[in-house]
Amino acid sequence: MSGSLPFYQKHHRHYDRGYRARDSESKLSQYQTSSRYTAGRNARSDSFRLSPETKRAKPTYLAVDKENQIIGYVVPIFRGSQEFATGLLDTEEARVRDTAAYMARRDLFTSGMEMERSELISRKEAMRESANRISINKRIHEHEEHFKRMNEDSLMHPPEFVIKPRSHTVWEKQCVRLHCTVTGWPDPRVVWYKNNVAIDPLANPGKYKLDSRYSVHSLEINRCDFDDTAQYSVSAMNSKGEQSAFASVVVKSRFYGPVSEYGITFQTHIVDSFGVSFGREGETMSLGCTVIIYPALHRYQPEIQWYRDDVLLSPSKWNHMHWSGDRATLTLTHLNKEDEGLYTLRVITKSGYETYSAYVFVRDADAEVEGAPGAPLDVRCLDANKDYIIVTWKQPAVDGANSILGYFVDRCEVGTNHWVQCNDTPVKFARFPVTGLVEGRSYIFRVRAINKCGMSHPSRVSEPVAAMDPADRARMRGTSAPWTGQIIVTEEEPAEGIVPGRPLELLVTEATKNYVVLSWKPPAGKGLEGVMYYVEKCVSGTDSWQRVNTEIPVKSPRFALFDLAEGKSYSFRVRCCNSAGVGEPSDPTEATTVGDKLDIPSAPGRVIPIRNTDTSVVVSWEASTDAKELVGYYIEGSVVGSNVWEPCNNKPVNCTRFVCHGLITGEKYVFRVRSVNAAGLSQFSQESEPVEVKAAIVSVILASPAPPYGITVLECVRDSMVLAWKQPSFIGGADITGYFVDYREVIDGVPGKWHEANIKAISERAYRVCDLKENRKYQFQVRAANIAGVGVPSLPSNTFLCEEWTIAVPGPPHDLQIREVRSDSLVLLWKPPVYQGRDPVNGFYLDIKEADAPEEAWRGVNNKATEKTYMKIKNLKEAETYVFRVRAQNKAGVGKTSDATEPVSAVTKPGTKEIVVDVDDDGIISLNFECCDMTPDSKFVWSKNYEDITDYHRLTTETKGNKSKAVFNNPGEEDIGIYSCLVTHSDGASSSYTLSEEELKKLLEISHDHKFPIIPLKSELAVELLEKGKVRFWLQSDQMSANGKVDYVFNDNALSHGEKYKMNFDKNTGVIEMIMESLTPADEGTFTFQLQDGKATNQSSLVLIGDVFKNLQKESEFQRKEWFRKQGPHFIEYLGYEVTPECCVLLKCKVGNIKKETSALWYKDGKEIKADEHLGFTEGVLKLEIAQISKKDAGVYEVVLKDDRGKDTSTLNLTDQGFKDLMNEVFSFIANSSTPLKITSTDEGIRLYTFVSYYNDLLQVTWHYKDAAIAFCDRIKSGVVGEQIWLQITEPTEKDMGKYAIEFNDGKGGLRRTVELSGQDRARVAGGLPDVVTIQEGKALNLTCNISGDPVPEVTWLKNDREIMSDDHCILKFASGKFASFIITSVNTSDTGKYSILVKNKYGTESGDFTVSVFNPEEAGSKKK
């Protein structure tokens, strides 16, 4: 037989003797020895048999409570000899007597070892037989229970409490757990209650923890306080019934009840408390609560304690605590991620304490470089000694745009601000030994993370730590220097002349791919004062030892080695040294492979999100498996469809459950988790299922749904049938989660037993039942299920024959739904038939009739089949009740009709809303629907063309309260269609909106106007100069509201109103201006006015650089000086000159702001010009006339105005170039006054001449012949006679023919007059005309002259320099090109005057003049008398 203990001995305490006292154990051993002897002597006695059960009734080993509920098993006390039984049952006196008898028997039977062995074997056999009986009885009982519950007639049974929770009494701050075991089928839903109020573990995070595993349910209450004293109950409920069990929890105070202070019991209340708070690194945050203590005693102050993650906080530079008498405040002066956690305020009085807790989240500060990681956190110093300090930290939750490449560790000596980077290359392991420290000095450390994008912010600095051994700290006798942190250490005089021994217990305490840390113990014996160490390494497989620290030995028995080859194996040893020499090496270490011994943890398991509040979700997950030195977990969340992940915590959490706060109500989120240890961050877990951020349903009474109805067959084949049914009229207060279908065979009208068609619930209201037998008849029933359980089954359906359908037409449509019921219309939806028939379905027909009309009243809605599975039915009668049905068709014809819908009344329900399209100020187009008839479980379901929306990249839905919005992300032609919204758990609230192509274009135009509004401008930014040289920048906008504002920008820098800049914005006129007193070189650049009115914006810029700016600056300075000048007598127009028609030069200037006392003095070359007739002053203009200007008039002219207000001077330089310019203008005036060049014949030859209005001797005239200057000689001469300038050609020849020109030089290009001297005759008047003709009135006048010229000249007659035309009175003739006649038929006195004949051809013009004088003889005679 085996010597192992049976199962019951392993699990019961009375088989373990370790708990007994020594005296009890001694007495029991004595009794057992005695019983062995007695048993050996009376082995055949019936009264001392080992197994006397045969004389008893059938024993039971089941332990039951008062209600006969099994609670466990009882192991009986094994029966032996009478002494054995007496030893367990009799009194202490009997035991003493038996002990004495035993001592006597021991003396008599010194050789009873064989009898003892026999007794031991017999006892083992008895124990094994008893254990087997217990095991068999247990199996029989379990088999009976299993058979009872697997009986088809009792498959489902109500819940039963196999083990009920028991009551507890605990001290405050302790944890208590209530647990129970519940059975039942279906699995019961278990709810815990406190004083008949359901416990919500999410309402008090960390307070309650619920657990359910293998029918064992537990409630754990953490850190119990007085409020946890209550009656707790647990309720188990399923579809068969409900059971409850109760237990009490009493929490005792360690203050031993209320203690009175001054005979008063205090009552403490915490109000006006802080909630879940969010901050950012670098910010300051205050947490405060108002504390009310009743009664209020003067100068009584309670004890105020603040905790973070159950760790008591003390005042520091990071935490400031304040108590004002009624309010407790904790100020976090500079937030870092180390400050994230659960903050608890505890107010302690003599009568007890009250607490309040809330979570504080700290987000990363904005990175200096986009994409850089977050800062590391929780930097600490470990293993500090003389030679190095190990720095540890935690990795940040935010990697940035790329994964973290590693970390840099910085150190700073206490008392300085000089940070030194400790590692040249980044380390990935979150632990690093810092070397190169000065012994005795204190340091602080910080860590920075780096990725491909850049460096993170530095972490919060560590606590100061001194670079010295712990033993040295104990011997420290000095004090720290305040500015360096240096510690003065004194040591005993070292022993001289003794070489130290070998170091002991050399170990590799830490090994990574970046470094290896060794530690050892100093050698025993003398010579330890002043001892130092050399470290040596050796590559495994060789005998070549290499000293690592060749220059400076280390002082502490620890050392960190760097620059080891990753993947290689090394051995290490250490030697001691002092002034006497170097000792023997220590024993080498085992071969150590350089590499990270700590692996990155595995990804966490399944992530489960649970609704909590309107802004938070509870996320739980399975812990990482085989994770070593786990630091914690980071949780990330993302809005469904956004693919943007945000950290939910920035400080690792150690538990597997976390409440994620700060979420957007109504949004759907997915979550993922990763774990972290010193080796790094794990991979992310799988994403969770989406969860909507919405308050969890609390204290809602749920029930299982009513049975479905209307079971029909949609398709039938040889071994399966497709069923459809209608949703229950009552769903039990929660959404239906699925359906279960049962079937049974009907043989000769007798139904058989029900069988399950599906084990897993189905969500659709149609299901294919398989594994049926052909040509058999079946009935079906359906049950609906929700969160409360599975409802009762429906009534059995009609009996259906399982035979394959072979009809050509389609089967019936199914799942008819009615939406958008109005007084004149509604929308009908359906699903196509499962059975298509011989050909695919190509259309549907709808039928309608009044609900109370006979079957013959069915009539069609559409004459032409529709391909859609929905239709809006119009022209209904208000308040009439209708039913509808649908038929499908294919090429073979119209198929079976569907079941009729439930009757529906055409009535628009009060409060019905329609979908409204809206374009907001940001240009976002959305469809909005509002429902006034909502329940807590109601949801808005949007669809397009009455189908579920699957492409959420085009449409995003948002729900807040009783309003829902569908936002078009990128509106386009793909979005054209019918959009509908249905509200679940309501009285059919639904609506639709048709977005057509025309409507979409209209909305896009409105969207563009809203998205990019522009403030219209009447004028762009311009600049102008004001008086005193001020510079005004201004523009005018069309219209702006009272909220409009303007930003003034210069070279991308904002300007503000002040001494230099004066801004003004007249919102009534829209004029915006900025005035500057003057311009300096620093003002060169671009000026911009940025306008904003709500979302509408505009801007206008003006660039003032280069010459534009310089000219403006110069003009501004000039205007400034001008303003000051004009305060006294001044020149409005400075001294200038003007050439008169008479070619006189007039110097003049215009003056202003003068008075009687103002004097005006003229000067030439510094000498005053005396007033004479040439000086004048009229209408504010001073004049000086120079007639016939010549070189003597050249000089500097000056006019001086002065009086008691000041003086002004104007100067005109008429010397050199100035005089030349003046004369050029005179010459230009003379040239412009010249007449056309003419040719006349003289006695000597031909003369070319022109007349000018005035001739000046300085005028330069040049004659040209054929564009070349003429060289004058005796035959060709030029000259001036009065105002005539001429060129005389004596005895001209054919060589002199050609083009002649005279050129006047005025310094600007001159003026040229030309004439052609040709061989052809120019027009001439040869003769025949008298100078004067005197003729009597009434007579006829006839004059004729000879005309010559080639070509024939044109003849024009003039009277008094006006052209006259030929008429009956004055007849003008030109005959044969030679004779011109002038005839007046009958003269009269009006014909008196000067007459001229003008002949002209291309070679010249000539005129002849004569005077006609008409007299009357009578008048002449009277005058003589």
Side-chain angles (χ1 to χ4, degrees):
M1 295 178 63
S2 175
S4 61
L5 292 175
F7 76 96
Y8 49 83
Q9 292 187 15
K10 296 179 181 178
H11 293 81
H12 289 76
R13 232 183 130 191
H14 63 272
Y15 282 95
D16 181 10
R17 301 180 183 178
Y19 71 94
R20 297 173 179 160
R22 290 189 176 182
D23 53 351
S24 300
E25 185 177 1
S26 175
K27 293 178 181 179
L28 185 59
S29 62
Q30 294 174 5
Y31 167 75
Q32 289 174 344
T33 305
S34 172
S35 64
R36 287 197 299 271
Y37 167 77
T38 305
R41 186 178 59 181
N42 303 305
R44 296 183 178 272
S45 177
D46 292 340
S47 59
F48 302 110
R49 290 181 180 176
L50 294 176
S51 301
E53 289 84 354
T54 55
K55 292 185 178 182
R56 291 183 170 189
K58 180 180 179 180
T60 177
Y61 300 100
L62 297 176
V64 297
D65 58 6
K66 295 179 179 180
E67 299 178 359
N68 292 325
Q69 299 292 324
I70 299 174
I71 61 174
Y73 298 93
V74 176
V75 179
I77 300 177
F78 297 103
R79 289 161 296 280
S81 62
Q82 180 179 5
E83 291 80 6
F84 183 83
T86 304
L88 293 177
L89 303 175
D90 286 354
T91 62
E92 186 64 25
E93 294 179 359
R95 294 182 184 179
V96 173
R97 290 195 300 270
D98 291 339
T99 301
Y102 163 73
M103 297 298 293
R105 294 189 189 97
R106 187 185 63 178
D107 296 335
L108 295 175
F109 300 98
T110 57
S111 62
M113 295 299 295
E114 187 64 27
M115 295 176 63
E116 289 185 18
R117 188 178 298 107
S118 176
E119 175 68 17
L120 178 61
I121 294 174
S122 298
R123 191 171 299 280
K124 288 182 179 179
E125 292 176 351
M127 292 169 63
R128 184 172 292 105
E129 291 175 358
S130 178
N132 290 337
R133 285 195 300 273
I134 293 174
S135 177
I136 291 172
N137 290 335
K138 178 181 177 182
R139 291 180 182 177
I140 292 173
H141 176 73
E142 291 176 348
H143 180 71
E144 290 176 352
E145 292 293 319
H146 177 73
F147 180 81
K148 184 196 306 181
R149 296 183 180 180
M150 293 303 295
N151 191 324
E152 293 182 354
D153 295 333
S154 60
L155 180 63
M156 295 191 299
H157 59 279
E160 296 180 39
F161 281 89
V162 177
I163 299 177
K164 296 183 178 180
R166 65 183 183 88
S167 300
H168 290 267
T169 300
V170 296
W171 293 108
E172 65 175 347
K173 302 182 185 179
Q174 289 184 339
C175 298
V176 64
R177 175 179 290 181
L178 306 178
H179 58 84
C180 62
T181 303
V182 183
T183 62
W185 183 259
D187 290 335
R189 176 172 174 262
V190 175
V191 181
W192 291 86
Y193 296 86
K194 175 184 177 182
N195 292 334
N196 297 324
V197 177
I199 294 176
D200 181 10
L202 305 180
N204 297 289
K207 182 64 177 178
Y208 301 102
K209 181 179 180 181
L210 302 180
D211 192 16
S212 297
R213 295 184 181 179
Y214 311 109
S215 299
V216 178
H217 307 272
S218 64
L219 167 65
E220 182 176 354
I221 308 173
N222 293 319
R223 299 180 65 86
C224 293
D225 55 26
F226 297 114
D227 292 339
D228 295 321
T229 300
Q231 184 185 54
Y232 292 82
S233 61
V234 57
S235 174
M237 178 178 62
N238 65 7
S239 59
K240 300 299 291 182
E242 180 179 2
Q243 290 289 334
S244 299
F246 301 88
S248 297
V249 173
V250 178
V251 181
K252 291 186 176 182
S253 172
R254 295 188 183 274
F255 294 102
Y256 303 102
V259 179
S260 297
E261 181 80 3
Y262 312 110
I264 298 174
T265 301
F266 291 100
Q267 296 180 4
T268 305
H269 302 279
I270 300 177
V271 297
D272 191 17
S273 54
F274 61 94
V276 175
S277 304
F278 296 87
R280 191 176 294 276
E281 284 185 314
E283 296 178 351
T284 299
M285 178 181 290
S286 292
L287 309 176
C289 294
T290 300
V291 180
I292 300 175
I293 300 176
Y294 180 83
L297 296 182
H298 181 60
R299 302 177 69 178
Y300 177 76
Q301 182 173 344
E303 183 180 358
I304 305 296
Q305 294 178 345
W306 287 90
Y307 293 82
R308 179 173 58 232
D309 295 330
D310 295 331
V311 177
L312 180 64
L313 299 178
S314 57
S316 67
K317 66 177 181 179
W318 310 114
N319 310 317
H320 292 175
M321 303 173 187
H322 179 68
W323 168 253
S324 64
D326 61 352
R327 186 170 181 82
T329 305
L330 171 65
T331 302
L332 305 175
T333 58
H334 187 281
L335 283 177
N336 284 92
K337 288 180 287 189
E338 290 86 345
D339 297 319
E340 184 172 294
L342 181 66
Y343 283 78
T344 302
L345 168 65
R346 173 173 289 190
V347 182
I348 302 175
T349 65
K350 296 298 183 179
S351 301
Y353 66 89
E354 288 290 331
T355 61
Y356 173 79
S357 301
Y359 213 91
V360 172
F361 294 87
V362 181
R363 296 188 175 96
D364 284 290
D366 293 335
E368 294 180 354
V369 179
E370 184 177 358
L377 65 153
D378 201 13
V379 179
R380 299 186 181 183
C381 299
L382 306 176
D383 196 14
N385 53 67
K386 298 177 183 177
D387 300 294
Y388 69 89
I389 296 173
I390 294 181
V391 179
T392 66
W393 61 91
K394 294 178 181 177
Q395 296 90 336
V398 178
D399 294 344
N402 296 280
S403 59
I404 294 177
L405 300 176
Y407 302 87
F408 286 105
V409 181
D410 303 332
R411 74 170 186 263
C412 177
E413 188 174 338
V414 173
T416 69
N417 294 320
H418 180 59
W419 287 94
V420 179
Q421 185 173 299
C422 302
N423 52 317
D424 296 330
T425 58
V427 294
K428 288 191 174 181
F429 206 79
R431 193 179 299 146
F432 184 76
V434 178
T435 58
L437 306 177
V438 178
E439 181 182 355
R441 295 191 177 181
S442 296
Y443 296 88
I444 55 177
F445 299 89
R446 70 182 187 188
V447 182
R448 295 169 294 151
I450 187 173
N451 63 8
K452 292 182 179 179
C453 295
M455 191 82 68
S456 73
H457 291 287
S459 66
R460 175 182 281 182
V461 300
S462 68
E463 293 296 326
V465 62
M468 59 188 305
D469 288 337
D472 294 334
R473 292 191 183 93
R475 295 195 303 269
M476 182 179 61
R477 295 188 179 94
T479 58
S480 299
W483 63 277
T484 62
Q486 182 177 3
I487 301 174
I488 302 174
V489 179
T490 59
E491 298 180 353
E492 298 178 2
E493 291 294 329
E496 296 182 358
I498 301 177
V499 177
R502 296 184 177 185
L504 306 175
E505 300 181 17
L506 175 63
L507 297 173
V508 177
T509 59
E510 188 170 352
T512 69
K513 64 182 180 181
N514 298 105
Y515 63 90
V516 172
V517 177
L518 304 176
S519 67
W520 58 90
K521 291 184 178 179
K526 295 183 179 181
L528 297 184
E529 295 299 335
V531 69
M532 293 185 289
Y533 305 94
Y534 286 110
V535 179
E536 299 176 352
K537 67 179 180 180
C538 173
V539 179
S540 297
T542 66
D543 293 331
S544 175
W545 288 92
Q546 179 182 1
R547 183 170 293 178
V548 178
N549 54 332
T550 56
E551 298 179 358
I552 303 175
V554 297
K555 297 181 179 180
S556 59
R558 300 172 191 82
F559 188 72
L561 291 86
F562 297 89
D563 300 327
L564 300 177
E566 183 178 358
K568 284 190 177 181
S569 297
Y570 294 87
S571 296
F572 306 94
R573 67 185 186 186
V574 181
R575 295 175 182 266
C576 296
C577 67
N578 60 7
S579 58
V582 180
E584 293 296 323
S586 66
D587 294 332
T589 64
E590 297 292 333
T592 301
T593 302
V594 177
D596 292 334
K597 293 184 177 180
L598 183 64
D599 295 328
I600 295 176
S602 60
R606 182 185 177 190
V607 180
I608 302 175
I610 304 173
R611 283 165 49 187
N612 186 27
T613 67
D614 283 336
T615 58
S616 65
V617 169
V618 178
V619 180
S620 59
W621 60 90
E622 295 178 1
S624 299
T625 57
D626 301 329
K628 297 180 180 179
E629 299 183 23
L630 189 66
V631 174
Y633 298 91
Y634 283 121
I635 305 96
E636 291 187 359
S638 173
V639 177
V640 173
S642 67
N643 201 27
V644 176
W645 292 92
E646 295 290 342
C648 298
N649 63 315
N650 279 300
K651 182 179 179 181
V653 295
N654 295 321
C655 56
T656 57
R657 178 182 177 275
F658 188 74
V659 182
C660 300
H661 288 273
L663 308 179
I664 302 174
T665 305
E667 289 283 3
K668 288 187 176 180
Y669 283 81
V670 291
F671 297 88
R672 63 185 185 184
V673 185
R674 59 177 172 176
S675 53
V676 59
N677 64 5
L681 295 164
S682 73
Q683 297 293 324
F684 281 105
S685 65
Q686 294 293 327
E687 295 180 11
S688 69
E689 293 294 326
V691 61
E692 183 179 0
V693 181
K694 184 178 179 182
I697 302 175
V698 181
S699 301
V700 176
I701 300 176
L702 303 177
S704 56
Y709 64 98
I711 301 175
T712 58
V713 176
L714 303 180
E715 184 187 31
C716 185
V717 295
R718 287 181 296 178
D719 59 350
S720 65
M721 301 174 73
V722 178
L723 306 178
W725 56 89
K726 295 182 180 180
Q727 180 176 299
S729 57
F730 173 72
I731 63 175
D735 291 333
I736 291 178
T737 57
Y739 296 91
F740 295 91
V741 181
D742 301 331
Y743 69 93
R744 65 183 179 184
E745 187 177 355
V746 179
I747 303 175
D748 297 331
V750 179
K753 293 183 179 181
W754 289 105
H755 300 279
E756 294 180 348
N758 61 309
I759 298 176
K760 185 177 180 180
I762 55 176
S763 58
E764 299 291 333
R765 290 197 297 275
Y767 182 68
R768 181 181 295 276
V769 181
C770 301
D771 299 329
L772 302 180
K773 297 180 180 179
E774 188 176 7
N775 296 324
R776 299 289 182 91
K777 295 181 179 179
Y778 293 92
Q779 288 181 342
F780 302 91
Q781 67 179 15
V782 183
R783 293 171 294 164
N786 62 8
I787 193 173
V790 181
V792 298
S794 64
L795 294 175
S797 68
N798 296 330
T799 302
F800 302 114
L801 178 63
C802 182
E803 61 178 357
E804 186 167 5
W805 289 358
T806 57
I807 57 176
V809 295
H814 64 102
D815 197 12
L816 275 65
Q817 301 180 39
I818 295 176
R819 303 267 185 91
E820 305 170 29
V821 179
R822 303 293 185 267
S823 59
D824 60 347
S825 65
L826 57 80
V827 175
L828 181 65
L829 284 68
W830 63 89
K831 292 184 179 179
V834 178
Y835 179 74
Q836 299 284 316
R838 187 177 302 168
D839 299 297
V841 173
N842 57 20
F844 300 92
Y845 291 98
L846 275 69
D847 298 335
I848 182 176
K849 81 177 185 69
E850 288 73 15
D852 54 357
E855 288 295 317
E856 295 79 10
W858 284 105
R859 59 188 181 275
V861 175
N862 55 323
N863 297 324
K864 184 179 179 181
T866 177
E867 296 181 356
K868 300 176 181 178
T869 56
Y870 61 89
M871 177 178 285
K872 186 169 186 177
I873 304 171
K874 302 179 180 180
N875 301 323
L876 302 180
K877 294 182 181 180
E878 187 173 2
E880 186 66 59
T881 303
Y882 297 91
V883 291
F884 304 89
R885 67 184 186 186
V886 185
R887 295 169 292 149
Q889 77 164 12
N890 60 10
K891 291 182 179 180
V894 179
K896 297 181 180 179
T897 61
S898 67
D899 285 348
T901 64
E902 294 297 320
V904 58
S905 296
V907 176
T908 302
K909 297 179 181 178
T912 299
K913 304 285 186 179
E914 300 294 343
I915 292 178
V916 178
V917 65
D918 177 61
V919 183
D920 63 11
D921 293 339
D922 295 327
I924 297 175
I925 303 174
S926 63
L927 303 176
N928 300 268
F929 186 58
E930 180 180 359
C931 178
C932 301
D933 183 23
M934 295 186 65
T935 64
D937 292 327
S938 294
K939 294 181 180 179
F940 290 88
V941 180
W942 287 88
S943 59
K944 180 182 179 183
N945 296 330
Y946 297 100
E947 295 180 357
D948 293 339
I949 297 175
T950 57
D951 188 3
Y952 286 98
H953 296 288
R954 302 204 62 82
L955 195 72
T956 302
T957 58
E958 302 174 2
T959 300
K960 292 183 180 180
N962 65 336
K963 297 179 181 180
S964 183
K965 177 190 296 185
V967 179
F968 292 97
N969 298 329
N970 187 17
E973 294 182 358
E974 299 88 342
D975 298 311
I976 295 174
I978 301 174
Y979 291 87
S980 61
C981 184
L982 171 69
V983 182
T984 63
H985 296 280
S986 67
D987 194 10
S990 59
S991 181
S992 64
Y993 177 82
T994 302
L995 182 63
S996 62
E997 182 177 358
E998 181 180 354
E999 183 70 12
L1000 178 62
K1001 291 181 179 178
K1002 179 181 176 182
L1003 292 174
L1004 289 175
E1005 291 176 359
I1006 299 174
S1007 173
H1008 185 272
D1009 294 341
H1010 288 196
K1011 190 179 295 183
F1012 306 104
I1014 296 177
I1015 301 173
L1017 299 179
K1018 291 183 178 179
S1019 63
E1020 295 290 338
L1021 183 61
V1023 64
E1024 64 180 7
L1025 295 176
L1026 304 179
E1027 66 175 6
K1028 208 175 178 179
K1030 294 181 180 180
V1031 182
R1032 177 180 181 246
F1033 297 88
W1034 70 280
L1035 62 78
Q1036 186 175 10
S1037 64
D1038 190 7
Q1039 53 182 334
M1040 291 182 69
S1041 67
N1043 296 324
K1045 66 175 184 178
V1046 181
D1047 292 331
Y1048 305 86
V1049 179
F1050 171 66
N1051 290 345
D1052 297 332
N1053 296 319
L1055 305 178
S1056 58
H1057 188 87
E1059 183 177 353
K1060 183 174 182 180
Y1061 303 101
K1062 309 293 182 184
M1063 287 85 166
N1064 184 34
F1065 179 17
D1066 189 345
K1067 297 181 180 179
N1068 295 325
T1069 61
V1071 174
I1072 305 169
E1073 63 180 5
M1074 180 181 72
I1075 299 175
M1076 301 174 61
E1077 290 292 332
S1078 61
L1079 290 177
T1080 64
D1083 297 321
E1084 183 177 4
T1086 302
F1087 292 84
T1088 304
F1089 286 8
Q1090 297 177 346
L1091 288 69
Q1092 184 174 2
D1093 190 2
K1095 189 181 178 183
T1097 60
N1098 204 342
Q1099 72 174 25
S1100 183
S1101 298
L1102 183 64
V1103 180
L1104 295 179
I1105 59 176
D1107 293 339
V1108 176
F1109 174 77
K1110 292 178 181 178
N1111 293 335
L1112 181 63
Q1113 183 187 18
K1114 184 177 180 180
E1115 182 64 22
S1116 174
E1117 282 297 319
F1118 174 76
Q1119 293 292 346
R1120 184 178 180 86
K1121 294 178 180 178
E1122 282 291 288
W1123 185 86
F1124 287 105
R1125 182 178 64 84
K1126 292 179 180 179
Q1127 301 309 303
H1130 62 276
F1131 292 93
I1132 298 175
E1133 295 178 2
Y1134 285 98
L1135 186 60
Y1137 54 82
E1138 177 183 339
V1139 180
T1140 66
E1142 295 78 13
C1143 287
C1144 295
V1145 177
L1146 187 65
L1147 304 182
K1148 65 177 183 177
C1149 57
K1150 190 173 183 179
V1151 298
N1153 197 15
I1154 61 175
K1155 57 183 181 178
K1156 294 180 179 180
E1157 293 80 8
T1158 303
S1159 62
L1161 303 178
W1162 287 82
Y1163 295 89
K1164 177 188 177 187
D1165 297 331
K1167 295 181 180 181
E1168 184 178 355
I1169 301 175
K1170 300 299 182 180
D1172 54 20
E1173 64 276 8
H1174 300 292
L1175 295 177
F1177 178 65
T1178 58
E1179 297 182 356
V1181 178
L1182 294 175
K1183 299 178 181 179
L1184 174 63
E1185 183 177 348
I1186 304 175
Q1188 298 181 356
I1189 190 168
S1190 61
K1191 288 185 178 181
K1192 66 177 182 178
D1193 297 316
V1196 178
Y1197 292 83
E1198 183 179 12
V1199 181
V1200 178
L1201 295 175
K1202 62 180 179 178
D1203 59 17
D1204 56 350
R1205 296 170 297 171
K1207 75 173 183 177
D1208 194 8
T1209 302
S1210 179
T1211 302
L1212 179 62
N1213 188 350
L1214 294 181
T1215 62
D1216 299 330
Q1217 187 62 38
F1219 184 74
K1220 288 181 181 180
D1221 294 339
L1222 171 60
M1223 294 310 297
N1224 285 334
E1225 188 169 343
V1226 173
F1227 297 155
S1228 178
F1229 194 92
I1230 295 174
N1232 290 328
S1233 69
S1234 64
T1235 61
L1237 195 59
K1238 295 182 180 181
I1239 303 174
T1240 185
S1241 300
T1242 63
D1243 296 336
E1244 294 83 6
I1246 298 174
R1247 174 172 287 191
L1248 285 68
Y1249 65 93
T1250 183
F1251 288 95
V1252 296
S1253 60
Y1254 167 75
Y1255 181 78
N1256 190 286
D1257 293 337
L1258 300 178
L1259 176 64
Q1260 296 180 3
V1261 176
T1262 305
W1263 288 91
H1264 295 270
Y1265 170 62
K1266 295 182 180 180
D1267 295 331
I1270 296 176
F1272 297 106
C1273 59
D1274 292 339
R1275 195 174 66 86
I1276 300 176
K1277 299 178 180 180
S1278 68
V1280 179
V1281 178
E1283 282 76 30
Q1284 185 188 57
I1285 305 174
W1286 52 263
L1287 175 69
Q1288 180 70 40
I1289 303 175
T1290 304
E1291 297 179 358
T1293 64
E1294 292 183 357
K1295 294 182 180 180
D1296 297 321
M1297 294 188 296
K1299 182 179 179 181
Y1300 286 84
I1302 183 173
E1303 183 176 6
F1304 298 91
N1305 186 8
D1306 60 358
K1308 300 177 182 178
L1311 178 66
R1312 178 174 288 196
R1313 304 284 188 183
T1314 62
V1315 68
E1316 185 75 24
L1317 181 60
S1318 176
Q1320 301 293 334
D1321 294 335
R1322 66 183 181 88
R1324 290 177 179 277
V1325 180
L1329 292 177
D1331 293 333
V1332 178
V1333 177
T1334 303
I1335 187 169
Q1336 182 180 350
E1337 184 179 7
K1339 299 292 184 177
L1341 176 62
N1342 187 351
L1343 298 176
T1344 301
C1345 64
N1346 296 327
I1347 302 300
S1348 65
D1350 187 18
V1352 177
E1354 298 176 0
V1355 177
T1356 304
W1357 292 90
L1358 304 175
K1359 177 185 179 182
N1360 296 329
D1361 295 331
R1362 290 185 180 183
E1363 184 178 358
I1364 58 177
M1365 306 301 293
S1366 177
D1367 55 15
D1368 294 340
H1369 178 68
C1370 182
I1371 300 173
L1372 306 176
K1373 294 181 180 181
F1374 183 42
S1376 302
K1378 296 181 179 181
F1379 307 105
S1381 299
F1382 177 80
I1383 302 172
I1384 299 176
T1385 57
S1386 179
V1387 296
N1388 54 40
T1389 57
S1390 61
D1391 294 325
T1392 300
K1394 178 183 179 182
Y1395 289 85
S1396 301
I1397 183 172
L1398 182 65
V1399 293
K1400 177 182 179 183
N1401 65 5
K1402 64 179 181 179
Y1403 298 112
T1405 303
E1406 190 169 309
S1407 63
D1409 301 328
F1410 63 93
T1411 303
V1412 176
S1413 176
V1414 180
F1415 68 94
N1416 190 334
E1418 296 179 359
E1419 291 180 0
S1422 62
K1423 289 182 179 180
K1424 290 181 179 181
K1425 292 180 180 182

